[in-house]
Amino acid sequence: MGSKICMNASCQTATTHEWKRGWPLRSGGHALLCYNCGSAYEDSLFCDTFHSEEPGWRECNICSKHLHCGCIASKFLLELMDYGGVGCASCARSWRLHLMQSDENPNGFSFLARNNAGDSESIPVENTVAGNNNNEGGLAQLCRLLEANEPGLLHPPKRASTNGGLVQFRQEEIMHAIGDIGTGFSNVTQPSIGSPKFAKPDNMSSLLDMRDVHSSLSQPSLNMELGAPSGTTNFVTFPDGTVEGREHTPSSFQQGQRSRPILPKPSKPGVSTSSENNKGAASELRIARPPAEGRGKNQLLPRYWPRITDQELQQLSGDLNSNIVPLFEKILSASDAGRIGRLVLPKACAETYFPPITQSEGIPVRIQDIKGREWTFQFRFWPNNNSRMYVLEGVTPCIQSMQLKAGDTITFSRIDPGGKLVMGFRRSTNNDEDTQDIQASGLPNCTASGETSFSADGDIGWNNSENHRGRINGDLLQQRTVPTEKKRTRNIGPKSKRLLMHSEDAMELRLTWEEAQELLRPPPSMKPTIVTIEDHEFEEYDGPPVFGKRTIFTSRSSWGKEQWAQCDDCFKWRKLPVDALLPPKWTCSENTWDSSRLLIFLLCFRIFY
DNA sequence: CTATCGCATGGTA
DNA sequence: ATACCATGCGATA
């Protein structure tokens, strides 16, 4: 380095009477700052000083202090909160302390363990929870939140579009991918897009979708969700204060430019549609999170991880003045929702969150629903293949009360302190014709989708049976909730269930992870620092990647590897150097590399197809 | 005959 | 292969 320059990009002065040390650099050493900037950094004023005009400000979830996310300068000032959002360092610390204190009884919730094991009939007890003076409003809130957590349902037409939407990644895959990152960046693979098929115009529809999300995707707030911002080590901090995920190096997120999958690799992003305003939108991402006690020996399958959104959880915890610990959830099977009244509990969940039982007949447990009613179920098991199969018996009244059907999701959470178990639910997003038929016939005055409908006072969809002032009689309710087994089986039968889930996924997905990866570009006008890790050179940027234009790569023996991009003006395909990086909008007039071989690819494409 | 109980079976990950 | 779990099915009330 020749002459010294202040590394505050908005300063860059070369003259100062004293140089100061700034943030640690991944390449070693510390940022060099002029006296003023360095002093600001020391006083933790650096964000205001360095980034006051930049986007990416978020509020601390607790004290609402503004925090600038996604920049290296601010990384030590904020932490990702347990269930999303960010908190300033001091708030996050006290939050963790609070959680550790409230998590001393990690497994306990209030069980009824009387000797009435024979009573497997569910008896709703209205607001009889001892010590549960949690306000009704809070429970209604829980009700509302748990019910509401398919935001797309509220705006069905928007599901097809990505306007204002955010990419929704599946946390379990993110978590897996963190492992990838943590293992020496072994996940650096080139998307194999060698087939001209990929360039079929039909396949470009996803690109259209993608264009719509460029703006939101390139916001730092999103980056907070995709991967921890630079330097954050607690990607997922659990209520017990432990940290899940690997040490997240300051640049692991930023190293990937071009099309390298450097982000955690959620392969099935969907689109959240409720983010009318982008502020706070990140916390609305429905992300499955491994519950704190669901790890280790009884590792829960990701499919059972609770998917309550950050926003819901934060709001809920605040409103209840309690710590809501989402435990697990399950998509109701036909037999779960059927008339038999037995809800099969995933073994790991049962053994982790329910009291240990030695006798097959089990014990009665009390679980509060989101209306505050308390139900008693028989928690028991059947011997099965040298193992156990856990069930909750007597759930029919509860299932009917909530008008749940196969495919809906039932959620189990715990209220701390107190350990009270609470059930919530989420309606299926899948409304195939059969289902709609059932709902329509069963609830003639329900909306066609039968989904959540909010009223101003917070009533929610599943209270419709009451809101409809008795227009739904028992028979109708029965039709709605317990259609004939045959029909139910046909809707979501054993053969078609996974297919159903796939189609559900398909509804949510608007672009694949690989597609998103291809669009990542280094931040413009930002020079990388070259870092060598295990003999691999990585480019490190101090800013998050942005989304650039999608290109495709071809590999032909005679030509070598090539990159092609479609002009946004004439829509013709242009050949580019392999390492060329394009902005989101690009026209061939900017093609300074090769203007002589236009349309070759397109011709080949037409010949082949 | 029907509903329920308890276990067995087989598909899936 | 193995574990899990959705559901089938015979026994029983």
Short mmCIF file of all heavy atoms in Angstrom, two decimals, chain B:
data_model
loop_
_atom_site.label_atom_id
_atom_site.label_comp_id
_atom_site.label_asym_id
_atom_site.label_seq_id
_atom_site.Cartn_x
_atom_site.Cartn_y
_atom_site.Cartn_z
P DC B 1 -74.26 -57.90 8.75
OP1 DC B 1 -74.89 -57.89 7.43
OP2 DC B 1 -72.89 -58.43 8.92
"O5'" DC B 1 -74.30 -56.43 9.37
"C5'" DC B 1 -75.53 -55.75 9.51
"C4'" DC B 1 -75.31 -54.58 10.41
"O4'" DC B 1 -75.14 -55.05 11.76
"C3'" DC B 1 -74.06 -53.78 10.04
"O3'" DC B 1 -74.39 -52.43 9.82
"C2'" DC B 1 -73.14 -53.92 11.25
"C1'" DC B 1 -74.08 -54.35 12.36
N1 DC B 1 -73.41 -55.29 13.31
C2 DC B 1 -73.22 -54.92 14.63
O2 DC B 1 -73.62 -53.80 15.01
N3 DC B 1 -72.59 -55.77 15.48
C4 DC B 1 -72.18 -56.96 15.03
N4 DC B 1 -71.57 -57.78 15.89
C5 DC B 1 -72.37 -57.37 13.69
C6 DC B 1 -72.98 -56.51 12.86
P DT B 2 -73.27 -51.54 9.19
OP1 DT B 2 -73.94 -50.54 8.33
OP2 DT B 2 -72.17 -52.36 8.67
"O5'" DT B 2 -72.75 -50.81 10.52
"C5'" DT B 2 -73.70 -50.22 11.39
"C4'" DT B 2 -72.97 -49.62 12.58
"O4'" DT B 2 -72.57 -50.69 13.48
"C3'" DT B 2 -71.71 -48.84 12.22
"O3'" DT B 2 -71.71 -47.61 12.94
"C2'" DT B 2 -70.57 -49.75 12.69
"C1'" DT B 2 -71.21 -50.51 13.83
N1 DT B 2 -70.66 -51.87 14.08
C2 DT B 2 -70.31 -52.22 15.38
O2 DT B 2 -70.42 -51.46 16.33
N3 DT B 2 -69.82 -53.49 15.50
C4 DT B 2 -69.65 -54.43 14.49
O4 DT B 2 -69.20 -55.55 14.73
C5 DT B 2 -70.04 -53.99 13.18
C7 DT B 2 -69.89 -54.94 12.01
C6 DT B 2 -70.52 -52.74 13.02
P DA B 3 -70.60 -46.54 12.59
OP1 DA B 3 -71.26 -45.22 12.51
OP2 DA B 3 -69.74 -47.01 11.50
"O5'" DA B 3 -69.76 -46.59 13.95
"C5'" DA B 3 -70.46 -46.57 15.18
"C4'" DA B 3 -69.49 -46.71 16.33
"O4'" DA B 3 -69.11 -48.10 16.47
"C3'" DA B 3 -68.19 -45.92 16.15
"O3'" DA B 3 -67.86 -45.31 17.40
"C2'" DA B 3 -67.18 -46.97 15.74
"C1'" DA B 3 -67.70 -48.23 16.42
N9 DA B 3 -67.43 -49.47 15.70
C8 DA B 3 -67.60 -49.72 14.37
N7 DA B 3 -67.30 -50.94 14.00
C5 DA B 3 -66.88 -51.54 15.18
C6 DA B 3 -66.42 -52.84 15.46
N6 DA B 3 -66.30 -53.81 14.55
N1 DA B 3 -66.10 -53.11 16.75
C2 DA B 3 -66.23 -52.15 17.66
N3 DA B 3 -66.65 -50.90 17.51
C4 DA B 3 -66.97 -50.66 16.23
P DT B 4 -66.63 -44.37 17.47
OP1 DT B 4 -67.00 -43.29 18.40
OP2 DT B 4 -66.11 -44.06 16.13
"O5'" DT B 4 -65.57 -45.32 18.21
"C5'" DT B 4 -66.01 -46.03 19.36
"C4'" DT B 4 -64.95 -47.03 19.77
"O4'" DT B 4 -64.95 -48.14 18.84
"C3'" DT B 4 -63.52 -46.48 19.79
"O3'" DT B 4 -62.99 -46.70 21.08
"C2'" DT B 4 -62.79 -47.29 18.71
"C1'" DT B 4 -63.61 -48.57 18.67
N1 DT B 4 -63.57 -49.33 17.39
C2 DT B 4 -63.22 -50.66 17.44
O2 DT B 4 -62.93 -51.25 18.46
N3 DT B 4 -63.21 -51.29 16.21
C4 DT B 4 -63.52 -50.71 14.99
O4 DT B 4 -63.49 -51.38 13.96
C5 DT B 4 -63.89 -49.33 15.02
C7 DT B 4 -64.24 -48.61 13.75
C6 DT B 4 -63.89 -48.70 16.22
P DC B 5 -61.60 -46.09 21.47
OP1 DC B 5 -61.74 -45.55 22.83
OP2 DC B 5 -61.08 -45.26 20.38
"O5'" DC B 5 -60.71 -47.42 21.55
"C5'" DC B 5 -61.25 -48.55 22.19
"C4'" DC B 5 -60.33 -49.72 22.00
"O4'" DC B 5 -60.52 -50.28 20.67
"C3'" DC B 5 -58.85 -49.41 22.13
"O3'" DC B 5 -58.25 -50.35 22.99
"C2'" DC B 5 -58.32 -49.50 20.70
"C1'" DC B 5 -59.27 -50.50 20.06
N1 DC B 5 -59.48 -50.33 18.59
C2 DC B 5 -59.36 -51.44 17.74
O2 DC B 5 -59.05 -52.54 18.23
N3 DC B 5 -59.58 -51.27 16.42
C4 DC B 5 -59.92 -50.08 15.94
N4 DC B 5 -60.14 -49.97 14.62
C5 DC B 5 -60.05 -48.94 16.78
C6 DC B 5 -59.82 -49.12 18.09
P DG B 6 -56.86 -50.02 23.65
OP1 DG B 6 -56.90 -50.52 25.04
OP2 DG B 6 -56.50 -48.63 23.37
"O5'" DG B 6 -55.88 -50.96 22.80
"C5'" DG B 6 -56.14 -52.35 22.76
"C4'" DG B 6 -55.33 -52.97 21.66
"O4'" DG B 6 -55.91 -52.58 20.38
"C3'" DG B 6 -53.87 -52.54 21.63
"O3'" DG B 6 -53.05 -53.68 21.75
"C2'" DG B 6 -53.70 -51.85 20.27
"C1'" DG B 6 -54.87 -52.37 19.46
N9 DG B 6 -55.38 -51.45 18.45
C8 DG B 6 -55.66 -50.12 18.62
N7 DG B 6 -56.12 -49.55 17.53
C5 DG B 6 -56.14 -50.57 16.60
C6 DG B 6 -56.54 -50.54 15.24
O6 DG B 6 -56.96 -49.59 14.58
N1 DG B 6 -56.40 -51.80 14.65
C2 DG B 6 -55.95 -52.93 15.29
N2 DG B 6 -55.89 -54.04 14.56
N3 DG B 6 -55.56 -52.95 16.55
C4 DG B 6 -55.69 -51.75 17.14
P DC B 7 -51.51 -53.56 21.83
OP1 DC B 7 -51.05 -54.57 22.81
OP2 DC B 7 -51.11 -52.16 21.95
"O5'" DC B 7 -51.12 -54.08 20.38
"C5'" DC B 7 -51.71 -55.28 19.92
"C4'" DC B 7 -51.61 -55.35 18.42
"O4'" DC B 7 -52.30 -54.24 17.81
"C3'" DC B 7 -50.19 -55.32 17.85
"O3'" DC B 7 -49.98 -56.55 17.17
"C2'" DC B 7 -50.18 -54.11 16.91
"C1'" DC B 7 -51.66 -53.92 16.60
N1 DC B 7 -52.07 -52.55 16.21
C2 DC B 7 -52.56 -52.31 14.93
O2 DC B 7 -52.63 -53.26 14.14
N3 DC B 7 -52.93 -51.07 14.57
C4 DC B 7 -52.84 -50.07 15.46
N4 DC B 7 -53.22 -48.85 15.08
C5 DC B 7 -52.35 -50.27 16.78
C6 DC B 7 -51.97 -51.52 17.12
P DA B 8 -48.61 -56.86 16.51
OP1 DA B 8 -48.33 -58.29 16.75
OP2 DA B 8 -47.62 -55.83 16.86
"O5'" DA B 8 -48.98 -56.69 14.96
"C5'" DA B 8 -50.20 -57.26 14.49
"C4'" DA B 8 -50.28 -57.15 12.98
"O4'" DA B 8 -50.71 -55.80 12.63
"C3'" DA B 8 -48.97 -57.38 12.23
"O3'" DA B 8 -49.28 -58.05 11.02
"C2'" DA B 8 -48.42 -55.97 12.01
"C1'" DA B 8 -49.70 -55.13 11.89
N9 DA B 8 -49.61 -53.79 12.46
C8 DA B 8 -49.13 -53.45 13.69
N7 DA B 8 -49.20 -52.17 13.96
C5 DA B 8 -49.77 -51.63 12.82
C6 DA B 8 -50.11 -50.30 12.48
N6 DA B 8 -49.93 -49.25 13.28
N1 DA B 8 -50.67 -50.10 11.27
C2 DA B 8 -50.87 -51.15 10.47
N3 DA B 8 -50.59 -52.44 10.68
C4 DA B 8 -50.04 -52.61 11.90
P DT B 9 -48.14 -58.50 10.04
OP1 DT B 9 -48.55 -59.79 9.47
OP2 DT B 9 -46.84 -58.33 10.70
"O5'" DT B 9 -48.27 -57.39 8.90
"C5'" DT B 9 -49.56 -57.04 8.43
"C4'" DT B 9 -49.46 -55.94 7.41
"O4'" DT B 9 -49.38 -54.66 8.06
"C3'" DT B 9 -48.23 -56.03 6.50
"O3'" DT B 9 -48.66 -55.84 5.17
"C2'" DT B 9 -47.34 -54.89 6.97
"C1'" DT B 9 -48.36 -53.89 7.46
N1 DT B 9 -47.89 -52.93 8.51
C2 DT B 9 -48.22 -51.59 8.38
O2 DT B 9 -48.85 -51.15 7.46
N3 DT B 9 -47.75 -50.80 9.40
C4 DT B 9 -47.03 -51.19 10.51
O4 DT B 9 -46.66 -50.39 11.36
C5 DT B 9 -46.73 -52.59 10.57
C7 DT B 9 -45.93 -53.12 11.72
C6 DT B 9 -47.17 -53.39 9.58
P DG B 10 -47.76 -56.33 3.98
OP1 DG B 10 -48.62 -57.12 3.07
OP2 DG B 10 -46.50 -56.88 4.51
"O5'" DG B 10 -47.42 -54.95 3.26
"C5'" DG B 10 -48.47 -54.02 3.01
"C4'" DG B 10 -47.90 -52.64 2.81
"O4'" DG B 10 -47.51 -52.09 4.08
"C3'" DG B 10 -46.66 -52.58 1.91
"O3'" DG B 10 -46.74 -51.42 1.12
"C2'" DG B 10 -45.53 -52.46 2.91
"C1'" DG B 10 -46.19 -51.58 3.96
N9 DG B 10 -45.58 -51.60 5.28
C8 DG B 10 -45.01 -52.68 5.93
N7 DG B 10 -44.55 -52.38 7.11
C5 DG B 10 -44.83 -51.02 7.26
C6 DG B 10 -44.57 -50.14 8.33
O6 DG B 10 -44.02 -50.39 9.41
N1 DG B 10 -45.03 -48.86 8.06
C2 DG B 10 -45.66 -48.47 6.91
N2 DG B 10 -46.02 -47.20 6.82
N3 DG B 10 -45.91 -49.28 5.89
C4 DG B 10 -45.47 -50.54 6.13
P DG B 11 -46.05 -51.38 -0.25
OP1 DG B 11 -47.00 -51.86 -1.26
OP2 DG B 11 -44.71 -51.99 -0.12
"O5'" DG B 11 -45.86 -49.81 -0.41
"C5'" DG B 11 -46.94 -48.95 -0.05
"C4'" DG B 11 -46.41 -47.61 0.40
"O4'" DG B 11 -45.91 -47.71 1.76
"C3'" DG B 11 -45.26 -47.07 -0.45
"O3'" DG B 11 -45.45 -45.68 -0.62
"C2'" DG B 11 -44.02 -47.37 0.39
"C1'" DG B 11 -44.57 -47.24 1.81
N9 DG B 11 -43.89 -48.06 2.81
C8 DG B 11 -43.61 -49.40 2.75
N7 DG B 11 -43.01 -49.86 3.81
C5 DG B 11 -42.87 -48.75 4.63
C6 DG B 11 -42.29 -48.62 5.91
O6 DG B 11 -41.77 -49.51 6.60
N1 DG B 11 -42.37 -47.32 6.39
C2 DG B 11 -42.94 -46.27 5.72
N2 DG B 11 -42.91 -45.08 6.33
N3 DG B 11 -43.48 -46.37 4.51
C4 DG B 11 -43.41 -47.63 4.03
P DT B 12 -44.62 -44.91 -1.66
OP1 DT B 12 -45.52 -43.94 -2.29
OP2 DT B 12 -43.84 -45.85 -2.48
"O5'" DT B 12 -43.59 -44.12 -0.73
"C5'" DT B 12 -44.12 -43.34 0.33
"C4'" DT B 12 -43.00 -42.85 1.21
"O4'" DT B 12 -42.55 -43.91 2.09
"C3'" DT B 12 -41.76 -42.36 0.45
"O3'" DT B 12 -41.48 -41.04 0.88
"C2'" DT B 12 -40.66 -43.32 0.88
"C1'" DT B 12 -41.15 -43.80 2.23
N1 DT B 12 -40.68 -45.14 2.65
C2 DT B 12 -40.15 -45.29 3.91
O2 DT B 12 -40.06 -44.36 4.70
N3 DT B 12 -39.75 -46.56 4.21
C4 DT B 12 -39.82 -47.68 3.40
O4 DT B 12 -39.43 -48.77 3.79
C5 DT B 12 -40.38 -47.45 2.10
C7 DT B 12 -40.50 -48.59 1.14
C6 DT B 12 -40.78 -46.22 1.79
P DA B 13 -40.51 -40.15 0.07
OP1 DA B 13 -41.24 -38.91 -0.29
OP2 DA B 13 -39.86 -40.95 -0.98
"O5'" DA B 13 -39.42 -39.80 1.18
"C5'" DA B 13 -39.86 -39.47 2.48
"C4'" DA B 13 -38.72 -39.60 3.45
"O4'" DA B 13 -38.49 -40.99 3.78
"C3'" DA B 13 -37.39 -39.05 2.94
"O3'" DA B 13 -36.73 -38.36 3.99
"C2'" DA B 13 -36.62 -40.30 2.53
"C1'" DA B 13 -37.13 -41.31 3.56
N9 DA B 13 -37.08 -42.70 3.12
C8 DA B 13 -37.41 -43.19 1.89
N7 DA B 13 -37.28 -44.50 1.78
C5 DA B 13 -36.82 -44.88 3.03
C6 DA B 13 -36.47 -46.12 3.57
N6 DA B 13 -36.55 -47.26 2.89
N1 DA B 13 -36.05 -46.15 4.84
C2 DA B 13 -35.97 -45.00 5.54
N3 DA B 13 -36.27 -43.77 5.13
C4 DA B 13 -36.69 -43.77 3.85
#
